[in-house]
Amino acid sequence: MRAVRRRAAALLAAVLLAGTAGACGQESGRVRAAALPADAEFTHPGVLVSAAQLKTVRENTTAGRQPWLSSYLTMRDSPYGSYRYRARPYATVHCPGGQAAGRGCEEERRDAIAAYTQALLFGVTGKRQHAVKARQIMDAWSARLTRHTGENAGLQAGWTASTWARAAELVRHTPDAGWPEKRVRRFAHMLRTAHLPRLAERTPDHNGNWDLVVTDGAISAAVFLDDRTAFDRALRRFRDRVPAYFYLREDGKLPFTPAGSSIATRQRLLTYWHGQRTFRDGVAQETCRGLAHVGHSIAATAHIAETAWHQGVDLYGEVKDRLTAALALHARGQQAGGTPRWLCGGKVEGKLGPDLEVALNHLENRLGGSVPAAHRLAVRTRPAGTDDLFVSWETLTHAENPGD
């Protein structure tokens, strides 16, 4: 028990030190710090996709370059890209745990992805019909949604807030989209009242992908809302969770415990890590639960860091080694015979989803690093489509696209 508590104390020290890391980081002439300066304004569009990245998407697509053209066509031809898409809003989205049927959960996730898809199509083609469709979907939901309920309400709010905010950011800050300010305010009210309260709930004993997805939703909403308090809260939550999710040998013989958790014994910690007992670089808290959940965590970690990057905050610098190791280990594990016996008894369930592009873009195209196994897997599975939860079209937006 004392050893676990010492690790909790060590994590707190690491978090405090992280507050001073990256202050000298610089890319494309822009200084990136560990926090948003007190006098700084938010950069828009700046939720996952920047204006510079969107410009590159447009150039690559119109020039017919691959893999961007095939990714664009996959997005355009999906049900989400149809002019006939119709929103199905609910006043209360109820998402119970387990296999129980919910009300409005799938509908909200799909409609948020459709709004984001239409916003991207508008950004690439300039066709106002896509902006109109994105606005229609967002307006339909902001006119009705008041709350999320049920055991999985926080996770649902995280998935959808991240996607809603990406769509809203592009429509609001792309010229000629024509979104009336009154409707913008109503949409902002929806994020602030139906999503952010759920995203502020603490869940340190949950599997880590939950915390990271929630933080993705929170930082995305914070940027759209120009909410510094919510933004700073998301940074703290990221710094608490990522070192307790992706293991490095420098952490010690056992992983860090999540900040604020009730895990107080070695056995409980091992149970929390789904029975994994040997810890080497890159192992994740949910590796032995399944690659799909690790993929969600990789994607959410990269989304949060990417959004912070566009705001001048370098979270990537604090987690680069963890993210690199996790990408390498799990990409190898997905290949035939790639899982060593020390890891989950030699068998890892499932596959990574379309979760690699944002992290790889930073590690390889901004930093000049190399993650060969993950790179090969990303290339083999391009174009990355959507997981129908919160990851969509990231080959199009982030493959070899460092932006600013």
Side-chain angles (χ1 to χ4, degrees):
M1 185 179 296
R2 286 195 298 269
V4 174
R5 289 173 178 169
R6 282 199 299 271
R7 283 177 176 79
L11 175 57
L12 176 60
V15 170
L16 294 173
L17 287 172
T20 63
C24 297
Q26 189 168 347
E27 182 76 18
S28 302
R30 184 180 184 188
V31 174
R32 287 174 171 80
L36 197 66
D39 59 347
E41 296 182 354
F42 286 97
T43 298
H44 301 289
V47 177
L48 188 61
V49 181
S50 69
Q53 287 174 321
L54 188 60
K55 180 175 181 289
T56 300
V57 170
R58 193 159 46 243
E59 291 171 349
N60 284 334
T61 302
T62 56
R65 301 187 185 107
Q66 297 293 0
W68 303 279
L69 178 60
S70 61
S71 183
Y72 166 78
L73 293 174
T74 299
M75 177 180 72
R76 185 198 67 182
D77 297 340
S78 73
Y80 299 116
S82 172
Y83 288 135
R84 296 183 178 183
Y85 192 94
R86 292 292 181 268
R88 296 170 292 172
Y90 282 68
T92 297
V93 172
H94 179 69
C95 303
Q99 301 301 313
R103 296 192 305 274
C105 309
E106 181 181 356
E107 290 85 351
E108 187 189 10
R109 293 194 299 267
R110 293 182 67 86
D111 286 359
I113 293 170
Y116 178 52
T117 301
Q118 297 286 344
L120 280 173
L121 286 167
F122 172 60
V124 173
T125 67
K127 294 180 179 179
R128 290 203 66 200
Q129 298 101 309
H130 291 301
V132 170
K133 180 56 65 177
R135 285 163 27 207
Q136 287 175 351
I137 297 167
M138 292 187 288
D139 290 347
W141 277 89
S142 68
R144 291 206 64 190
L145 181 64
T146 60
R147 61 179 182 157
H148 293 90
T149 62
E151 186 178 345
N152 283 344
L155 190 60
Q156 172 77 12
W159 281 330
T160 55
S162 61
T163 311
W164 283 130
R166 289 171 214 154
E169 188 81 351
L170 290 178
V171 173
R172 186 181 188 184
H173 298 286
T174 301
D176 303 321
W179 201 9
E181 187 58 33
K182 184 177 181 179
R183 297 296 176 84
V184 173
R185 289 196 299 271
R186 191 175 74 187
F187 187 84
H189 179 74
M190 179 189 79
L191 287 180
R192 189 173 294 284
T193 60
H195 292 84
L196 274 184
R198 285 297 191 179
L199 303 180
E201 296 170 356
R202 297 293 292 171
T203 55
D205 289 340
H206 283 48
N207 284 299
N209 85 88
W210 180 301
D211 236 14
L212 290 165
V213 166
V214 163
T215 306
D216 185 10
I219 199 170
S220 301
V223 171
F224 178 75
L225 296 169
D226 292 305
D227 188 328
R228 181 182 295 271
T229 299
F231 183 85
D232 290 344
R233 186 186 301 121
L235 297 187
R236 291 193 296 272
R237 194 162 184 167
F238 178 93
R239 286 167 170 150
D240 282 348
R241 176 57 76 166
V242 174
Y245 189 87
F246 299 111
Y247 175 82
L248 287 178
R249 290 183 182 180
E250 66 191 41
D251 299 340
K253 292 183 179 180
L254 291 176
F256 292 131
T257 54
S261 78
S262 64
I263 299 169
T265 67
R266 181 179 184 275
Q267 186 54 51
R268 284 198 63 190
L269 183 65
L270 297 179
T271 299
Y272 181 66
W273 279 68
H274 298 276
Q276 179 64 22
R277 305 179 73 85
T278 300
F279 297 99
R280 299 181 186 176
D281 286 351
V283 178
Q285 182 256 318
E286 294 177 279
T287 300
C288 298
R289 185 184 183 199
L291 286 178
H293 293 95
V294 177
H296 294 168
S297 298
I298 289 171
T301 298
H303 291 171
I304 298 159
E306 186 77 0
T307 295
W309 179 267
H310 295 321
Q311 303 309 317
V313 177
D314 185 11
L315 292 179
Y316 278 122
E318 302 173 23
V319 301
K320 176 188 68 173
D321 292 343
R322 295 182 191 276
L323 198 53
T324 300
L327 283 168
L329 179 69
H330 294 92
R332 289 196 304 268
Q334 187 164 321
Q335 299 172 29
T339 304
R341 289 194 59 81
W342 62 265
L343 183 64
C344 310
K347 184 177 181 181
V348 176
E349 301 289 343
K351 294 183 178 181
L352 298 169
D355 305 313
L356 306 178
E357 299 282 18
V358 177
L360 280 176
N361 181 51
H362 183 82
L363 295 172
E364 295 188 335
N365 299 306
R366 288 198 185 115
L367 300 185
S370 177
V371 194
H375 184 94
R376 288 193 299 270
L377 180 60
V379 170
R380 191 169 72 244
T381 54
R382 284 175 178 166
T386 177
D387 63 1
D388 297 317
L389 296 173
F390 76 119
V391 179
S392 302
W393 323 124
E394 292 179 359
T395 298
L396 179 68
T397 58
H398 285 83
E400 299 179 33
N401 189 0
D404 55 352

